[in-house]
Amino acid sequence: MPLVSVIIPVYNAESFIKQTIESVQSQTISDIEIIIVDDCSTDKSLQICMDLAIKDSRIEVLKSERNFGCPGGPRNIGVQASSGAWVAFLDADDLWHVKKLELQLNALRSNNAKFCSSKAQLFIDDNDFLLDRNIYEFNQKKISYLSQMFNYQTPTSSVILHRSLALSEPFLEGIDFKAREDIDCWLRIHKRIKQSVKVDDYLVGYRKVDGQISGNKIAMIYRTYYCYKNTSGLETKFFNILPFILTLSHLLRAFYIRTLKKSI
């Protein structure tokens, strides 16, 4: 049984998927399985993944029976097929630092935690994110349910969590949560576990690509509000105004990150 199951949902990512998978194959932790779930791609993504699987027995390629239109469904399929003690998520156009899993597993063990994330660096040019940048030491911080609500701090491609949590708190697959299913899922999990640990360094490269699901701004505003409005614990009359506040906070922070800070 592998230590970590890496779940990669794929849809029409032929330009980046090989590099993404290679960043997993290069990890200093080799006791892994890589589960790729193709969401009915219409380009060469599936063939690229299958070619890589022939050369690496750790790779398993699955194909969804229908197109979900968002990564939540394929991620759930991957979790169900996983066998590792830990589950890590990676989007098909993002990259990992070579010591990503090693550093996070150390953080999980030292804190007796079940959920760990890290910082992510936004990039466009491949040379802007160094996969083997030297990391001599790193800081850790705790993410509480309350801080997660007001300040989204867990980039999905940085998350590694105990498989039991991933199974018990799956991503919602409804269209109203499209591209916001991760916010909902991480909130539910943080409410359950009270807090997680975050490695305060850039272990993930988050690629900015034209046409990403999150690119439709008006739809994203609605879905962000819908997500907060329907999060367990926010339905009472006292909290009627809170979803608006949380949505505004999320949007202001997203603007700051993408225009000034360039990191999550």
Side-chain angles (χ1 to χ4, degrees), residues 180-230:
R180 287 295 178 263
E181 68 280 339
D182 50 353
I183 295 177
D184 167 79
C185 188
W186 306 152
L187 277 174
R188 282 187 280 116
I189 288 177
H190 277 79
K191 184 176 183 181
R192 179 172 176 174
I193 65 176
K194 309 306 180 186
Q195 66 179 15
S196 66
V197 62
K198 181 171 183 175
V199 175
D200 203 19
D201 207 333
Y202 300 105
L203 302 184
V204 173
Y206 177 85
R207 191 188 300 271
K208 294 179 66 176
V209 180
D210 291 337
Q212 284 176 315
I213 292 178
S214 56
N216 188 326
K217 301 300 185 294
I218 296 177
M220 287 306 101
I221 292 173
Y222 165 75
R223 289 170 185 160
T224 301
Y225 169 75
Y226 186 87
C227 175
Y228 284 123
K229 182 175 181 292
N230 288 275

Side-chain angles (χ1 to χ4, degrees), residues 83-101:
S83 57
W86 300 93
V87 170
F89 296 105
L90 176 59
D91 286 345
D93 50 6
D94 293 342
L95 299 173
W96 278 357
H97 184 279
V98 294
K99 296 182 71 175
K100 192 260 187 193
L101 291 179

Side-chain angles (χ1 to χ4, degrees), residues 95-147:
L95 299 173
W96 278 357
H97 184 279
V98 294
K99 296 182 71 175
K100 192 260 187 193
L101 291 179
E102 177 186 343
L103 293 175
Q104 288 190 292
L105 286 169
N106 288 340
L108 285 163
R109 291 170 183 141
S110 63
N111 290 276
N112 193 28
K114 291 188 175 183
F115 186 111
C116 182
S117 58
S118 77
K119 293 170 71 174
Q121 176 186 333
L122 275 65
F123 75 99
I124 298 176
D125 187 281
D126 289 349
N127 295 323
D128 292 339
F129 182 72
L130 300 179
L131 299 174
D132 56 354
R133 171 179 53 87
N134 289 329
I135 299 178
Y136 298 103
E137 60 180 88
F138 61 91
N139 296 318
Q140 302 174 20
K141 63 179 182 180
K142 301 294 179 62
I143 308 297
S144 68
Y145 173 61
L146 187 62
S147 65

Side-chain angles (χ1 to χ4, degrees), residues 5-10 35-39 62 64 68 70-82 87-94 152 155-159 166-167 169-173 177-183 185-186 206 213:
S5 298
V6 181
I7 313 298
I8 307 177
V10 177
I35 301 176
I36 300 166
V37 184
D38 181 76
D39 195 24
L62 305 176
S64 60
F68 286 89
C70 58
R75 289 186 190 128
N76 289 338
I77 291 173
V79 171
Q80 290 292 332
S82 67
V87 170
F89 296 105
L90 176 59
D91 286 345
D93 50 6
D94 293 342
Y152 181 71
T156 299
S157 288
S158 79
V159 168
L167 286 170
E169 298 290 350
F171 293 94
L172 297 183
E173 300 172 9
F177 287 93
K178 182 178 180 180
R180 287 295 178 263
E181 68 280 339
D182 50 353
I183 295 177
C185 188
W186 306 152
Y206 177 85
I213 292 178

Side-chain angles (χ1 to χ4, degrees), residues 152-163:
Y152 181 71
Q153 302 176 72
T154 51
T156 299
S157 288
S158 79
V159 168
I160 176 172
L161 73 164
H162 198 272
R163 183 172 182 268

